[in-house]
Amino acid sequence: SLVVTQKGEFEAMRRVLNTNVDGGVKVMYALTAIKGVGRRYANIVLKKADIDFSKRAGELSHDELERIVEIIQNPLQYKIPQWFLNRQKDRTSGKYWQLVSNAVDNSLREDLDRMKKVRVHRGLRHDWNLRVRGQHTKTTGRGGRTVGVTKKK
């Protein structure tokens, strides 16, 4: 199913932004393996990089990969709208970012630590390992073993 024109051109695994990307998958879907990059963001990045959607990730040249990484890391320079980014109006800097890879985990941890430190209700719920988003907790989400009623004989 994979047609390679020259030997040595195809790579089964690519390393992009500290993530292993499957070379046998089409580029748009292969980029979604990177944390912080979804299908729509991958789609717009490929359009800005002017890369064919029918290509496989293993068929990309080194220059094409560099273009993709550059656009993912600096989306505002390539006229990707602010509302498309996953970190809007950051609390510390007030800037708009697209967080990718390890930065997603780091920012989430920092946000939770800040909420816990300020003693916000949401932070307290996270601290107590309870549901945060208003779900009912009277009967569901009980941790531990199940306790049933024994039948009398």
Side-chain angles (χ1 to χ4, degrees), residues 3-105:
V3 179
V4 180
T5 54
Q6 294 177 354
K7 189 169 176 140
E9 186 178 318
F10 180 81
E11 290 186 37
M13 276 296 211
R14 289 316 254 300
R15 189 83 174 155
V16 182
L17 292 171
N18 296 330
T19 308
N20 291 330
V21 173
D22 187 9
V25 183
K26 292 200 176 181
V27 187
M28 187 174 98
Y29 298 103
L31 288 178
T32 59
I34 302 169
K35 197 162 193 173
V37 177
R39 288 190 310 215
R40 293 196 62 212
Y41 190 67
N43 187 337
I44 201 167
V45 164
L46 291 179
K47 283 181 184 174
K48 297 289 182 183
D50 196 31
I51 292 174
D52 186 19
F53 286 92
S54 62
K55 269 191 171 182
R56 305 278 171 173
E59 298 170 354
L60 292 175
S61 68
H62 186 69
D63 296 334
E64 289 172 330
L65 268 178
E66 283 183 356
R67 260 194 324 217
I68 289 173
V69 169
E70 177 67 25
I71 293 172
I72 287 175
Q73 289 178 335
N74 306 312
L76 295 175
Q77 293 176 2
Y78 292 91
K79 301 221 167 79
I80 293 177
Q82 288 181 340
W83 56 264
F84 217 94
L85 306 181
N86 64 7
R87 182 73 172 183
Q88 298 179 7
K89 226 169 176 191
D90 188 42
R91 277 194 173 274
T92 54
S93 65
K95 294 183 179 178
Y96 291 78
W97 304 99
Q98 177 69 24
L99 298 178
V100 200
S101 191
N102 298 335
V104 176
D105 297 329

Side-chain angles (χ1 to χ4, degrees), residues 122-136:
R122 201 168 134 204
L124 293 173
R125 302 286 294 187
H126 272 292
D127 209 13
W128 298 331
N129 293 324
L130 293 173
R131 299 274 189 252
V132 177
R133 297 185 174 183
Q135 298 95 323
H136 290 261

